Amino acid sequence: NTSKLVNASFASGTNITSLPAEMFRYSKIESFVVPNTVTSIGNYAFGNATNLKSIVIPSSVTSFGDYILRYSLSLAELTIPGHVRVENLFSSKSAANMSQVLTKVTVADGSTQVTNSFINGLTMIKEVVLPDGIVTIGSSAFSDATNLVSINIPNTVTTINASAFLNTTKLTVLSISKDSALISIGNSAFNGSGITSIFIPKGVVTVGTYTFSNTPNLSEVIFDKEINLTYISSYMFSNTKSLKQIDLPATIEEIRDYAFYESGLEKIVIPDGVKKINAYAFGRNTSLKEIHIPNSVTTFGNYILRYSINVEEITMPGHVRLVTLFYSTTNMSKKITKVNVATGSTYVIANCL
């Protein structure tokens, strides 16, 4: 019975490797640092520790018993290895089982991953700290953590998996540096998030669908000048009403279907080298006034500009009819006053206008 225990620690140099089941259950300790020699923690080891406000569990711990923090309802700060789901330490996210004042989670040094659904749906958490050495951020790792405000992406991260930050509506600060090793961003990774800007580093070669869609505050997208990305994925920037302009990389060869559907773009210059623009890529862009399509584009999907009814100026290859970009005269802009035939065109198709 540890109900009267208020302080606990291990002497420096301890060789303890395991904390047995219920070791500190019902104790009154307020903080605890698990030694980095420990590899396993037993069932309910810190359960019902109602005064516990902070605990540090190192990445050396690879085996967790059942619900080691269940009913420890005052916990405000937690350090935990990245391979463990936070909710699993408490049994469930309900107020009866889990602390509702847990606002800060730090991934322990030495972790190489943030596991799938790491804090998925934990709406009380406002801050997460990731250490250098993290390589992979798992699927839905932070999804629906609707009070998460900021997070750093360590330079060591190579993969952000699907839905990692889905619906993180208060996440306004996301730090990715120029020295990032990031290679891949999964489907819907930032869909529905609150991010205001994003830097996409030079190593990124794979971007999933819906990656930044439904981000109402996203107003700035910066691609590294040395990036070799060859496509803008389907729905990548759909429904991004605050995105007024974007400079696409010179390496882009394809803009996939619905890539900028319902975006806030006012002007877009498509790089020379783009060969294909797929269906509805710039559809329903009601703020779009200028679009410049180079002669390199030889393949057009259906109605890339349908419902973009405020276009005033367009540059396009001579081999395409204007109306086909909008589907029909009913769906096209009535405000077009200037049409430029793209440089390099060798002919103008019959009935171009």
Side-chain angles (χ1 to χ4, degrees):
N1 187 335
T2 60
S3 61
K4 294 183 180 180
L5 182 67
V6 294
N7 291 296
S9 63
F10 289 94
S12 177
T14 183
N15 292 317
I16 188 170
T17 59
S18 178
L19 301 186
E22 303 191 33
M23 183 174 186
F24 295 102
R25 191 173 189 185
Y26 299 109
S27 75
K28 295 297 186 289
I29 60 173
E30 294 188 0
S31 65
F32 192 80
V33 177
V34 176
N36 59 16
T37 54
V38 172
T39 59
S40 67
I41 300 177
N43 301 341
Y44 285 86
F46 298 91
N48 301 85
T50 53
N51 289 355
L52 186 65
K53 293 179 174 62
S54 70
I55 186 169
V56 175
I57 303 174
S59 59
S60 60
V61 180
T62 56
S63 176
F64 288 81
D66 293 336
Y67 321 139
I68 68 166
L69 287 166
R70 192 174 188 182
Y71 307 129
S72 294
L73 302 181
S74 297
L75 191 69
E77 295 190 15
L78 169 67
T79 297
I80 189 75
H83 66 266
V84 181
R85 286 188 67 202
V86 171
E87 182 180 341
N88 290 351
L89 305 180
F90 295 87
S91 166
S92 77
K93 68 185 72 172
S94 74
N97 294 296
M98 181 176 184
S99 171
Q100 301 301 298
V101 296
L102 178 61
T103 57
K104 182 177 180 179
V105 174
T106 299
V107 174
D109 288 340
S111 299
T112 59
Q113 64 162 312
V114 178
T115 194
N116 296 343
S117 301
F118 179 63
I119 61 165
N120 171 240
L122 300 185
T123 58
M124 73 291 288
I125 295 173
K126 297 180 180 180
E127 182 182 0
V128 172
V129 179
L130 303 181
D132 289 336
I134 296 293
V135 176
T136 303
I137 296 176
S139 299
S140 301
F142 304 99
S143 63
D144 296 305
T146 53
N147 280 304
L148 182 65
V149 174
S150 66
I151 194 167
N152 63 302
I153 305 296
N155 289 342
T156 50
V157 171
T158 62
T159 304
I160 299 174
N161 280 308
S163 304
F165 296 93
L166 177 70
N167 295 332
T168 50
T169 53
K170 291 185 180 177
L171 180 63
T172 56
V173 179
L174 179 82
S175 301
I176 300 177
S177 88
K178 187 174 177 63
D179 298 321
S180 171
L182 190 61
I183 295 171
S184 176
I185 306 174
N187 297 340
S188 291
F190 298 95
N191 188 343
S193 72
I195 59 172
T196 59
S197 67
I198 187 73
F199 172 73
I200 302 176
K202 64 183 178 181
V204 172
V205 293
T206 303
V207 181
T209 60
Y210 294 93
T211 314
F212 303 103
S213 66
N214 305 306
T215 50
N217 303 319
L218 182 63
S219 61
E220 181 180 52
V221 177
I222 301 173
F223 294 92
D224 190 284
K225 292 180 180 179
E226 298 179 30
I227 200 168
N228 288 308
L229 187 66
T230 59
Y231 63 91
I232 301 298
S233 63
S234 299
Y235 295 91
M236 185 170 172
F237 296 105
S238 63
N239 196 26
T240 50
K241 299 298 188 185
S242 296
L243 187 62
K244 304 300 182 184
Q245 69 88 34
I246 189 170
D247 294 325
L248 298 178
T251 52
I252 296 295
E253 297 179 359
E254 180 181 5
I255 299 173
R256 296 183 177 170
D257 53 297
Y258 293 87
F260 293 94
Y261 190 74
E262 291 188 312
S263 80
L265 287 176
E266 295 176 351
K267 177 181 178 179
I268 181 73
V269 178
I270 296 168
D272 290 334
V274 172
K275 300 173 183 177
K276 186 175 184 179
I277 303 177
N278 287 342
Y280 288 86
F282 298 94
R284 211 178 285 275
N285 276 225
T286 55
S287 296
L288 188 64
K289 294 182 179 179
E290 282 188 48
I291 182 167
H292 301 278
I293 305 169
N295 188 56
S296 60
V297 180
T298 56
T299 302
F300 289 85
N302 291 334
Y303 328 134
I304 68 166
L305 285 166
R306 191 173 186 180
Y307 305 125
S308 295
I309 57 174
N310 292 307
V311 174
E312 297 173 359
E313 180 179 350
I314 185 168
T315 298
M316 63 184 196
H319 60 77
V320 63
R321 292 184 65 214
L322 178 62
V323 69
T324 61
L325 303 180
F326 292 88
Y327 173 61
S328 71
T329 55
T330 303
N331 297 286
M332 72 183 291
S333 172
K334 303 299 190 297
K335 298 180 181 180
I336 296 174
T337 57
K338 186 175 182 180
V339 176
N340 309 298
V341 176
T343 301
S345 297
T346 57
Y347 69 96
V348 175
I349 195 171
N351 300 314
C352 174
L353 302 181

